[in-house]
Amino acid sequence: EAGVTQFPSHSVIEKGQTVTLRCDPISGHDNLYWYRRVMGKEIKFLLHFVKESKQDESGMPNNRFLAERTGGTYSTLKVQPAELEDSGVYFCASSRPLRLAGGPANEQFFGPGTRLTVL
Amino acid sequence: DAKTTQPNSMESNEEEPVHLPCNHSTISGTDYIHWYRQLPSQGPEYVIHGLTSNVNNRMASLAIAEDRKSSTLILHRATLRDAAVYYCILRDVVLGNKLVFGAGTILRVKS
């Protein structure tokens, strides 16, 4: 079974530019999450999709961030315009539908992350 | 989300057991205790979870206090590949989907 993949692995952009991060979840995983770790801080939740619907977007920092999951498969996270404080590592995770998860663990499988540097 | 408290760092010798503590005094009845770890340059990975009873899997054991206000992740024989940041996370079984990460414990394993 292929794991969660993220693209690109690294991105270096200038302040004010736009960047789009992509996440391909494990096949069959309805739940998709975005998290990020900015410099010196803890990993923070951004949002959660169930299929193509946003279940919880309480962690999105502001309206410069736009997440989509058209068709309920892969997801993109766009930052426009990027600011210096957006630098960090962005992680994507996926998990099985709760009815198939075999209980409350609903283990999340994480990708390797995209390291974003805004100059 | 209920908070957890973990030591900032711990050190272990290779091939020896490691006990990673976690305090969660405000845990509620619907909170499961989850452990994830993050190896260098990788995303976090699931280790184990439990509710009230002690749990074992191929990676580790989880010992949960009778009052559930603390728990201990046990690695029976630490290897160099176990060097990672270990996160103790409370997750509401009814409401919870997102993971709320704290600072975790940095585990260093010496050869």
Side-chain angles (χ1 to χ4, degrees):
Chain A
E1 181 180 75
V4 176
T5 57
Q6 294 188 244
F7 182 82
S9 57
H10 293 84
S11 180
V12 181
I13 61 172
E14 300 274 338
K15 175 183 171 181
Q17 289 185 320
T18 297
V19 63
T20 300
L21 313 181
R22 174 170 170 145
C23 169
D24 285 79
I26 293 171
S27 177
H29 282 195
D30 287 354
N31 295 287
L32 187 149
Y33 309 82
W34 284 97
Y35 296 83
R36 75 172 181 176
R37 182 203 295 275
V38 295
M39 187 66 70
K41 300 286 184 65
E42 296 157 4
I43 298 172
K44 293 289 188 186
F45 166 81
L46 296 179
L47 90 160
H48 168 212
F49 284 99
V50 177
K51 297 185 180 178
E52 67 274 9
S53 299
K54 292 176 185 174
Q55 180 79 8
D56 179 358
E57 48 185 328
S58 62
M60 294 289 264
N62 52 61
N63 60 9
R64 294 186 296 103
F65 289 75
L66 174 65
E68 295 180 320
R69 193 183 181 195
T70 307
T73 54
Y74 71 91
S75 174
T76 58
L77 180 65
K78 182 193 292 188
V79 185
Q80 180 183 27
E83 299 289 344
L84 299 178
E85 64 264 24
D86 299 331
S87 294
V89 182
Y90 290 75
F91 295 104
C92 175
S94 70
S95 67
R96 299 179 186 89
L98 276 178
R99 69 184 187 280
L100 300 177
N106 201 17
E107 174 186 353
Q108 292 187 17
F109 296 82
F110 282 77
T114 293
R115 180 172 295 279
L116 174 64
T117 302
V118 183
L119 302 176
Chain B
D1 297 294
K3 296 213 181 283
T4 63
T5 304
Q6 300 177 251
N8 291 333
S9 64
M10 292 184 66
E11 200 168 77
S12 170
N13 293 316
E14 203 175 7
E15 302 297 316
E16 291 186 356
V18 181
H19 291 230
L20 297 164
C22 180
N23 287 319
H24 28 78
S25 58
T26 58
I27 191 170
S28 74
T30 53
D31 283 331
Y32 275 73
I33 302 159
H34 288 244
W35 284 81
Y36 278 72
R37 72 179 185 180
Q38 186 176 17
L39 302 171
S41 302
Q42 294 187 29
E45 65 174 353
Y46 168 83
V47 178
I48 200 167
H49 80 282
L51 182 64
T52 56
S53 303
N54 295 344
V55 184
N56 299 296
N57 67 19
R58 63 176 180 80
M59 288 181 72
S61 296
L62 177 60
I64 301 172
E66 200 170 326
D67 64 5
R68 301 212 320 130
K69 293 187 176 183
S70 65
S71 60
T72 303
L73 179 71
I74 302 165
L75 306 179
H76 295 288
R77 290 178 64 207
T79 70
L80 296 177
R81 290 178 298 175
D82 291 320
V85 182
Y86 286 78
Y87 299 98
C88 170
I89 298 170
L90 298 183
R91 201 155 169 225
D92 188 301
V93 67
V94 176
L95 302 174
N97 266 296
K98 66 184 180 186
L99 296 172
V100 180
F101 289 87
T105 296
I106 300 170
L107 175 65
R108 298 184 179 91
V109 181
K110 296 183 297 182
S111 59

